[in-house]
Amino acid sequence: ADVEESSKPLFAGLSDISISEDIPVEGDISVPIGSQNADNDLSTLDEPVKDTIMRDLRAVGQKFVHVMYPKKSSALLRDWDLWGPLLLCVTLALMLQGGSADSEEDGRPQFAEVFVIIWFGSVIITLNSKLLGGTISFFQSLCVLGYCILPLTVAMIVCRIVLLGSSGGISFAVRLIVVTASFGWSTFASTAFLADSQPANRKALVVYPVFLFYFVIGWMILTFSPSR
């Protein structure tokens, strides 16, 4: 008897199973054409390099405009990037360097010092904002703080031009006015973007480190003197 049972096919009983006609067994596994087109439109893999670079440059330029004319706009926070802050940081560090990398006794900040001060200060302010309950993300805060160095970078360019003429009392007065105005503009622009992301009773604790951050950068610009 055991031999007869073992000789039966393993799935012999499945032929007696019938599927009710009320149960749907059909389905559509095709991908909609519209979704394919949408994915292709969003893909930049086949985009020319020139178009990609120009799009990124336009995005950076638009953020510069937001900094120079600060208003309650989420564009600087929503479409964050670090290309603009990196460009401004390198430009400011090179101009403060003054082209004398071999001179270490003139008292002027070196490139690495300026670079570390800007990025380390931005990270500290960002961490302080997060610890105080801010809703802004880490890289969004770095983006805002970095882009808001733009007025101080412009002030550095103006100061270098003024120093080409003279370095007397009038030159210092002009540089003082320019740096003070740029420092105020950078602080105002950054707080305009960051203030709304902080609790109402802790905004002063967030603004104070930002004030010190831009004050240090402004002081380096004001006390800069080219090598003779």
Side-chain angles (χ1 to χ4, degrees):
D2 295 337
V3 176
E4 294 179 357
E5 291 180 359
S6 61
S7 62
K8 294 181 180 181
L10 183 60
F11 302 102
L14 294 180
S15 60
D16 298 332
I17 299 176
S18 60
I19 300 177
S20 175
E21 297 180 356
D22 297 335
I23 300 177
V25 295
E26 297 180 355
D28 186 8
I29 61 174
S30 61
V31 179
I33 299 178
S35 62
Q36 292 180 345
N37 293 335
D39 293 338
N40 292 335
D41 293 339
L42 296 176
S43 177
T44 59
L45 294 178
D46 298 331
E47 184 181 38
V49 177
K50 179 181 177 181
D51 295 342
T52 303
I53 295 176
M54 293 303 299
R55 186 182 66 253
D56 293 339
L57 290 177
R58 284 193 297 267
V60 172
Q62 291 175 357
K63 292 181 177 64
F64 284 159
V65 173
H66 282 300
V67 172
M68 298 308 297
Y69 299 96
K71 57 182 180 179
K72 290 185 177 181
S73 173
S74 59
L76 192 60
L77 300 178
R78 183 181 64 252
D79 303 326
W80 63 268
D81 67 80
L82 298 180
W83 290 113
L86 179 61
L87 175 63
L88 293 174
C89 179
V90 171
T91 302
L92 187 59
L94 287 175
M95 298 189 69
L96 286 172
Q97 174 73 22
S100 58
D102 299 332
S103 177
E104 298 181 356
E105 299 179 355
D106 54 4
R108 294 185 291 109
Q110 300 300 310
F111 178 89
E113 296 175 1
V114 178
F115 199 87
V116 169
I117 287 173
I118 293 177
W119 285 103
F120 183 75
S122 300
V123 170
I124 293 298
I125 294 175
T126 300
L127 293 177
N128 176 71
S129 173
K130 296 297 292 182
L131 291 175
L132 291 175
T135 58
I136 190 174
S137 70
F138 183 84
F139 290 105
Q140 284 176 335
S141 180
L142 289 181
C143 174
V144 171
L145 293 172
Y147 270 102
C148 289
I149 300 177
L150 176 62
L152 289 170
T153 305
V154 174
M156 185 65 217
I157 297 175
V158 174
C159 290
R160 291 296 298 264
I161 295 175
V162 172
L163 287 171
L164 291 177
S166 63
S167 58
I170 298 178
S171 172
F172 178 79
V174 173
R175 289 187 289 126
L176 178 61
I177 295 174
V178 172
V179 172
T180 303
S182 300
F183 158 72
W185 197 267
S186 294
T187 305
F188 170 74
S190 60
T191 53
F193 293 110
L194 297 177
D196 292 339
S197 64
Q198 305 299 323
N201 58 343
R202 297 180 179 179
K203 289 184 178 181
L205 297 176
V206 177
V207 174
Y208 179 68
V210 175
F211 176 88
L212 291 179
F213 174 65
Y214 291 120
F215 178 81
V216 171
I217 299 176
W219 181 258
M220 290 191 299
I221 295 174
L222 182 62
T223 57
F224 171 82
S225 59
S227 59
R228 299 297 182 182

